[in-house]
Amino acid sequence: HRIIILIVTMLIVISTIGYISFTMNNMLLFLMLINVLVPILIIVSDYIDKPIQIMRNNKYINEAKKIIDSSPNLIVIGVTGTYGKTSVKNYLAKILSCKYQVLVTPQNYNTTLGVVKTIRENLRATHQIFICEMGACNIGDIKEICDIVKPKYGIITSIGPQHLETFGNVENVANTKFELADEVLNNKNGKIYVNFDSVPAKERAEKITDRSQIVSFGTSNDCDCMAKNISYSPSGTTFD
């Protein structure tokens, strides 16, 4: 839509300027006006297209919500974190696919519209589990995705200093990642799994008053699920 609007607007303006310049027999005027107006036209066309784009995106989002709502038995697992979310998503999908029909957000489809596209194009009635990777560049991004997919389980892999140009500080990063926890904890049967080896994630989890639905994992003794004797080799990773 944006390209079409831009082309149509430019054709109209260029034709008008061309006609005026031709009647005045002044080609220099034509070139000067084109040079000045083209950047303005790009800005104007973007301004015109923005509400159209928002309407189109909202339409797709509402369609995705209806698809999720029509699958009441679908188990949704949200995965987020500054680092490791894609790897955890892939590991989890590989394991669960041995027993269940699993849909996974592909590649880096971890934005709102990426998740919406995955749901609209790939979610089927036969799917039992939907593993949804959730990325964020701004406060509220994770909540927006959660409002669509309504996860019952969540995994927070880590929290660190990333996208600080929009978040401002690590505390805002943590609060945004824990928007997933806020959604999961609203479900009395939900569970949120938090990596306690990530200090910011651990500190943020410890601020939650009722931690009965929080499961900690990591390598320290105070974790609910602890890995030890971790070994790496070309053939894979092992641990106890």
Side-chain angles (χ1 to χ4, degrees):
H1 288 93
R2 179 178 301 175
I3 295 174
I4 294 173
I5 291 172
L6 176 60
I7 291 174
V8 171
T9 305
M10 288 184 67
L11 286 174
I12 292 172
V13 173
I14 290 172
S15 299
T16 303
I17 294 173
Y19 175 76
I20 295 171
S21 301
F22 176 77
T23 56
M24 296 178 64
N25 196 25
N26 192 335
M27 182 55 67
L28 180 60
L29 174 63
F30 174 77
L31 295 175
M32 289 176 59
L33 288 174
I34 290 296
N35 189 53
V36 170
L37 289 176
V38 166
I40 297 174
L41 286 174
I42 294 173
I43 296 172
V44 170
S45 65
D46 186 70
Y47 178 81
I48 294 172
D49 182 61
K50 193 169 185 178
I52 298 173
Q53 187 176 11
I54 291 173
M55 289 176 60
R56 184 173 64 248
N57 291 346
N58 287 338
K59 175 179 178 291
Y60 293 152
I61 289 171
N62 288 331
E63 287 177 0
K65 286 181 177 179
K66 289 180 180 178
I67 294 171
I68 292 292
D69 291 341
S70 66
S71 307
N73 295 322
L74 180 70
I75 296 173
V76 180
I77 304 172
V79 182
T80 192
T82 304
Y83 321 106
K85 54 184 176 290
T86 301
S87 297
V88 169
K89 173 192 71 176
N90 291 333
Y91 295 150
L92 189 60
K94 191 72 173 178
I95 295 169
L96 293 177
S97 294
C98 295
K99 185 176 180 180
Y100 302 99
Q101 294 294 316
V102 179
L103 174 65
V104 184
T105 48
Q107 302 170 4
N108 61 341
Y109 279 35
N110 58 17
T111 64
T112 296
L113 292 181
V115 171
V116 165
K117 180 179 173 68
T118 301
I119 294 169
R120 293 177 66 249
E121 296 183 358
N122 300 315
L123 185 61
R124 302 289 180 266
T126 54
H127 284 123
Q128 297 167 288
I129 297 175
F130 176 33
I131 302 174
C132 180
E133 181 179 341
M134 302 178 178
C137 291
N138 297 280
I139 296 171
D141 284 354
I142 301 296
K143 184 181 186 303
E144 186 175 51
I145 298 174
C146 287
D147 288 342
I148 298 169
V149 302
K150 302 176 179 63
K152 182 178 181 181
Y153 301 103
I155 302 172
I156 298 176
T157 61
S158 62
I159 291 172
Q162 203 170 66
H163 299 304
L164 295 184
E165 69 278 4
T166 53
F167 283 119
N169 54 60
V170 175
E171 183 180 2
N172 287 334
V173 176
N175 289 334
T176 301
K177 299 303 182 184
F178 269 78
E179 290 170 359
L180 173 58
D182 295 337
E183 175 68 26
V184 170
L185 296 178
N186 285 330
N187 186 329
K188 64 179 181 179
N189 296 318
K191 291 286 185 184
I192 185 76
Y193 297 81
V194 183
N195 178 12
F196 269 33
D197 285 350
S198 172
V199 175
K202 180 180 180 180
E203 291 177 346
R204 181 59 178 79
E206 289 175 341
K207 292 180 181 180
I208 299 174
T209 305
D210 182 5
R211 297 203 288 271
S212 60
Q213 292 173 260
I214 299 176
V215 179
S216 61
F217 65 90
T219 56
S220 58
N221 292 327
D222 61 342
C223 292
D224 298 312
C225 300
M226 181 183 68
K228 58 183 181 179
N229 299 325
I230 302 172
S231 177
Y232 308 94
S233 71
S235 60
T237 303
T238 61
F239 58 90
D240 298 329

